[in-house]
Amino acid sequence: MATVHSPELLIVMAPGSTGDEADHVVARLQEAGVDARVSVGREATVIAATGDRELLATLPLEGYPGVAQVMPILKPYKLVAREVSADPTVIEVDGRRVGDTWFGLIAGPCSVETREQTLETARAVAAAGATMLRGGAFKPRTSPYTFQGLGVDALELLEEAKAETGLPIVTELMDPRHVEDVLDHADVIQIGARNSQNFLLLAEVGRAHKPVLLKRGLSTSVEELLMAAEYIAKEGNERIILCERGIKTFETSTRFTLDLGAVAVLKHETHLPVIVDPSHAAGRRDLVLPLARAAVAVGADGLIVETHPRPEEALSDASQQIPTAEFAAFADEVREVVSLMGKELG
Ligand code: PEP
Ligand code: MN
């Protein structure tokens, strides 16, 4: 496959410049054979120009009316870089929002196991104010001898839960062979930690017309996570939610080490919403609330949390799922910190 140009230059329009002036810049870029990505923000418009560096250097961009500043995009990630978007990105799904001042509370079982378990959980999380329903249909399990998920049957149960509660569905896609099935039923496609750098799968969801929840890999750096997101964005899908879910370290007192520093860095580096999964990081249910509170306080745009009507009977991740009977109290605690941060549930 041939290499392609990446966005190289950022053209920042002056506050108070007009839409016509931005259109004029875009028209000049297009005439020169340069692609332009325009982001209109509350206070400014920014235009990212994609094309040959030498060609870009010949254009008198700074002289065009309304242009305040022209600067190179120096980071290896381009489309997801903070400065390429005038405002933080808000992902909207069926009227639910994640990003900027909107906080997403995604909750549901680790795995979809039965109709009863799925509907019971969906009702409980909807009543508690969750904004989306999670549930695994295709499960990435460490052991091939453990429950692998109900597959398409699970997708149908999730669809039924959505019809009853109105909650959009978040579910994992593990394999390009399941793209059609998952896209038929999911509202947000989850890419799990183990597939965080599966570049062909990332490109596949980059061509999909549904938002992607991209989890950080177990030993993926912040920069690698942003480059993984860039694979998705490059294909045209910029509706991406990033998720910190804990990384592998020498520490074994929690299942993974929740890297909240990475959340603060990501908020600095990208315009995409960043959420936190305290369940997989903690590995035990008593730690989920404290980690969730800390995630909200560090600036996360949402949480994805596992809950089950009878966690002790769960077919996967039994020790970290919160009983649905306790989920409303959990959501109330989270909501308090969310409001302290000047945000509200989307
Ligand atoms: C999950 O969310 O169900 C999951 C398997 O998470 P992760 O990919 O982060 O391990
Ligand atoms: Mn799980």
Side-chain angles (χ1 to χ4, degrees):
M1 218 184 283
T3 49
V4 286
H5 293 299
S6 55
E8 292 295 342
L9 280 186
L10 203 63
I11 300 145
V12 183
M13 302 302 290
S17 63
T18 65
D20 283 352
E21 286 169 334
D23 290 347
H24 174 258
V25 174
V26 171
R28 295 289 83 75
L29 290 169
Q30 286 170 346
E31 266 169 27
V34 170
D35 277 341
R37 174 193 184 279
V38 182
S39 167
V40 180
R42 290 183 283 256
E43 273 150 37
T45 294
V46 295
I47 303 168
T50 303
D52 181 69
R53 267 189 211 183
E54 283 172 22
L55 170 68
L56 283 167
T58 64
L59 301 175
L61 297 168
E62 253 148 358
Y64 294 146
V67 172
Q69 205 186 353
V70 179
M71 50 193 188
I73 308 170
L74 297 172
K75 298 281 168 56
Y77 37 89
K78 311 284 178 179
L79 296 168
V80 305
R82 178 71 193 87
E83 54 272 25
V84 166
S85 184
D87 293 330
T89 291
V90 177
I91 309 284
E92 190 169 338
V93 191
D94 288 343
R96 307 301 176 129
R97 286 164 286 198
V98 185
D100 203 5
T101 59
W102 303 106
F103 191 88
L105 180 57
I106 306 170
C110 176
S111 302
V112 170
E113 298 166 359
T114 64
R115 180 167 182 270
E116 186 198 24
Q117 169 246 10
T118 306
L119 294 179
E120 229 179 299
T121 310
R123 286 178 198 129
V125 302
T131 59
M132 295 189 206
L133 177 67
R134 64 149 288 148
F138 298 96
K139 295 301 302 177
R141 303 304 305 284
T142 301
S143 164
Y145 303 114
T146 54
F147 180 61
Q148 304 286 304
L150 296 179
V152 176
D153 290 344
L155 296 174
E156 281 161 10
L157 291 175
L158 288 168
E159 183 111 39
E160 193 179 339
K162 180 188 179 180
E164 191 182 316
T165 60
L167 293 180
I169 301 299
V170 182
T171 197
E172 179 165 351
L173 171 68
M174 283 177 60
D175 188 312
R177 286 169 292 189
H178 302 143
V179 165
E180 255 181 62
D181 283 330
V182 171
L183 280 175
D184 270 356
H185 296 85
D187 298 294
V188 176
I189 314 159
Q190 179 172 323
I191 299 295
R194 281 123 194 120
N195 271 315
S196 197
Q197 288 188 300
N198 181 340
F199 301 120
L200 295 179
L201 189 63
L202 296 173
E204 193 72 42
V205 296
R207 293 185 284 270
H209 298 284
K210 298 223 164 150
V212 177
L213 169 51
L214 174 63
K215 290 189 134 189
R216 180 181 184 184
L218 313 185
S219 47
T220 305
S221 68
V222 166
E223 183 168 311
E224 286 165 337
L225 175 62
L226 289 166
M227 293 310 286
E230 191 79 13
Y231 264 91
I232 301 171
K234 180 190 156 284
E235 296 300 320
N237 188 357
E238 295 191 22
R239 297 169 75 203
I240 307 163
I241 302 168
L242 301 174
C243 180
E244 160 60 30
R245 45 80 71 215
I247 52 174
K248 283 209 173 184
T249 68
F250 58 83
E251 181 57 70
T252 53
S253 62
T254 50
R255 186 177 178 192
F256 294 95
T257 299
L258 186 62
D259 185 4
L260 290 178
V263 178
V265 173
L266 285 165
K267 292 297 297 171
H268 205 259
E269 291 296 310
T270 179
H271 55 84
L272 298 174
V274 182
I275 70 167
V276 168
D277 174 346
S279 303
H280 288 90
R284 27 188 276 218
R285 70 181 59 84
D286 62 317
L287 297 181
V288 175
L289 177 60
L291 293 186
R293 281 203 197 102
V296 183
V298 85
D301 297 295
L303 293 169
I304 179 165
V305 178
E306 289 187 342
T307 176
H308 189 291
R310 289 161 296 280
E312 64 290 351
E313 292 171 17
L315 299 179
S316 58
D317 288 349
S319 54
Q320 71 197 30
Q321 304 206 53
I322 300 173
T324 49
E326 292 169 25
F327 186 77
F330 170 87
D332 286 345
E333 296 273 0
V334 166
R335 218 182 265 108
E336 286 204 20
V337 191
V338 168
S339 102
L340 275 178
M341 294 299 292
K343 299 180 185 178
E344 59 183 300
L345 291 201

